[in-house]
Amino acid sequence: MNQMYSKQFGALFITVIVLAFRPGPTRANNVQADVQLIFNENSTKPIPASTEIVNIFQAAITNPNSGFNLTVDAASITVTSSPQTIPVIFLTNGTFSSALSNSSSDLFTNRSLMIKSGLVPFFVADFPYSFSTLTATNYSDGGLTVTGIASIWNYIDLSFGASATLPNSTQIGETIIRAARNNTLPFQIFTSKIIVNGTVISAGDVSSKINVFTASFLVAMSLLVTWSR
Ligand SMILES: *[C@@H]1O[C@H](CO)[C@@H](O)[C@H](O)[C@H]1NC(C)=O
Ligand SMILES: *[C@@H]1O[C@H](CO)[C@@H](O)[C@H](O)[C@H]1NC(C)=O
Ligand SMILES: *[C@@H]1O[C@H](CO)[C@@H](O)[C@H](O)[C@H]1NC(C)=O
Ligand SMILES: *[C@@H]1O[C@H](CO)[C@@H](O)[C@H](O)[C@H]1NC(C)=O
Ligand SMILES: *[C@@H]1O[C@H](CO)[C@@H](O)[C@H](O)[C@H]1NC(C)=O
Ligand SMILES: *[C@@H]1O[C@H](CO)[C@@H](O)[C@H](O)[C@H]1NC(C)=O
Ligand SMILES: *[C@@H]1O[C@H](CO)[C@@H](O)[C@H](O)[C@H]1NC(C)=O
Ligand SMILES: *[C@@H]1O[C@H](CO)[C@@H](O)[C@H](O)[C@H]1NC(C)=O
Ligand SMILES: *[C@@H]1O[C@H](CO)[C@@H](O)[C@H](O)[C@H]1NC(C)=O
């Protein structure tokens, strides 16, 4: 399995961990395996969709050259648990260029690394038991602000543990505003333009209190794939 997923995802994929083997649902199919796929938290690439993970596995078991020689019931392959994501859009300073709409460009990768490494420490600090990873998904032109500064809309996905209690939109906005006010970021966040899961968060609504989240436990990014043969 490592081979097939490494080939497909490159450095984004780290490894497969076998969690358990259990008797299959009938005598005819004898073993069910629970496995966990570990992805690289530092990658700027998004976590693959469950359907993609299943499709790659199904393609590998029917391909005699894939090197995977166990007999697996293709229909039984399912993702049982995957991270929960919340989309966030926010406005920063910066000059937009069309290469920023191309996720394969160096400009996209560089900016994504800057956004990710700038904001992740604040999410880790505020949601230590639930935050998993941050992925920049797109950028668009924000035009000139009223004060004449060139700006960029930044689209990100925040991922939280599969069984974690999610922070609400205000709490997420609060973390971004705290990051903006910390004055250590290599970009400027315009705090009146933060949209969390479709809701505009305004700095006025947000207290300066740091909200430490303690309600959950799953931190690891995990995807459970079970199969039987
Ligand atoms: C991600 O980067 C951090 C900081 O450099 C490092 O401690 C961590 O081990 C890295 N994680 C992976 C999976 O490479
Ligand atoms: C399946 O592949 C493994 C690793 O390549 C090999 O050790 C094993 O003998 C193979 N089993 C069968 C039944 O071909
Ligand atoms: C996106 O960027 C890659 C890498 O620079 C380039 O090969 C590709 O042609 C670009 N795609 C578009 C649609 O510009
Ligand atoms: C991206 O970052 C690398 C390493 O810092 C740098 O060499 C390269 O010029 C940058 N590319 C763009 C398009 O900004
Ligand atoms: C925010 O700023 C303070 C003081 O400048 C600094 O100690 C801290 O590490 C910064 N970052 C975070 C994530 O709070
Ligand atoms: C990314 O943003 C550009 C505008 O800059 C838009 O045209 C494009 O459809 C967006 N791409 C995705 C995948 O959302
Ligand atoms: C968000 O969560 C905080 C802390 O649990 C709570 O005080 C606040 O009322 C919630 N806000 C909304 C809009 O649900
Ligand atoms: C954006 O703001 C940051 C922090 O104030 C600054 O260091 C950076 O040079 C600005 N970038 C542009 C393109 O103006
Ligand atoms: C995000 O918004 C959608 C649609 O309004 C809603 O169904 C969903 O529960 C929201 N998610 C979170 C985590 O608030």
Side-chain angles (χ1 to χ4, degrees):
M1 289 184 73
N2 278 341
Q3 234 176 46
M4 65 172 98
Y5 285 119
S6 290
K7 196 171 148 207
Q8 205 75 31
F9 297 128
L12 169 62
F13 172 75
I14 296 181
T15 193
V16 169
I17 296 172
V18 177
L19 298 178
F21 292 109
R22 289 184 278 128
T26 67
R27 290 177 71 89
N29 43 32
N30 46 31
V31 179
Q32 179 171 322
D34 294 343
V35 304
Q36 196 165 44
L37 274 63
I38 310 292
F39 290 95
N40 191 340
E41 60 185 328
N42 294 336
S43 174
T44 55
K45 301 263 188 313
I47 306 162
S50 298
T51 49
E52 192 182 3
I53 288 168
V54 170
N55 290 345
I56 289 166
F57 197 5
Q58 286 176 336
I61 59 177
T62 52
N63 175 0
N65 302 321
S66 71
F68 191 82
N69 59 8
L70 289 173
T71 308
V72 175
D73 173 1
S76 74
I77 302 168
T78 47
V79 170
T80 55
S81 153
S82 60
Q84 316 176 77
T85 61
I86 300 180
V88 177
I89 308 170
F90 58 95
L91 193 69
T92 61
N93 69 330
T95 304
F96 182 79
S97 118
S98 59
L100 283 174
S101 298
N102 177 355
S103 60
S104 308
S105 73
D106 286 348
L107 202 59
F108 183 100
T109 305
N110 286 6
R111 182 170 183 84
S112 300
L113 267 176
M114 176 181 81
I115 298 285
K116 180 170 180 150
S117 51
L119 292 181
V120 160
F122 294 91
F123 283 101
V124 169
D126 288 359
F127 311 110
Y129 301 101
S130 60
F131 177 72
S132 177
T133 190
L134 182 161
T135 309
T137 56
N138 201 8
Y139 302 100
S140 68
D141 193 351
L144 291 181
T145 66
V146 285
T147 51
I149 301 171
S151 67
I152 296 176
W153 284 109
N154 303 264
Y155 295 71
I156 61 171
D157 278 345
L158 297 171
S159 300
F160 294 86
S163 51
T165 306
L166 291 174
N168 64 33
S169 297
T170 313
Q171 289 171 302
I172 291 173
E174 208 163 290
T175 299
I176 295 174
I177 290 166
R178 187 167 78 81
R181 291 179 178 160
N182 194 275
N183 278 330
T184 49
L185 298 177
F187 49 89
Q188 187 186 344
I189 298 173
F190 299 110
T191 53
S192 59
K193 308 278 185 184
I194 300 172
I195 302 161
V196 180
N197 195 28
T199 304
V200 180
I201 305 296
S202 97
D205 297 344
V206 164
S207 72
S208 56
K209 175 175 141 283
I210 297 168
N211 223 322
V212 178
F213 205 72
T214 52
S216 61
F217 53 91
L218 198 90
V219 186
M221 201 184 328
S222 68
L223 294 140
L224 231 46
V225 180
T226 61
W227 80 84
S228 56
R229 73 180 181 110

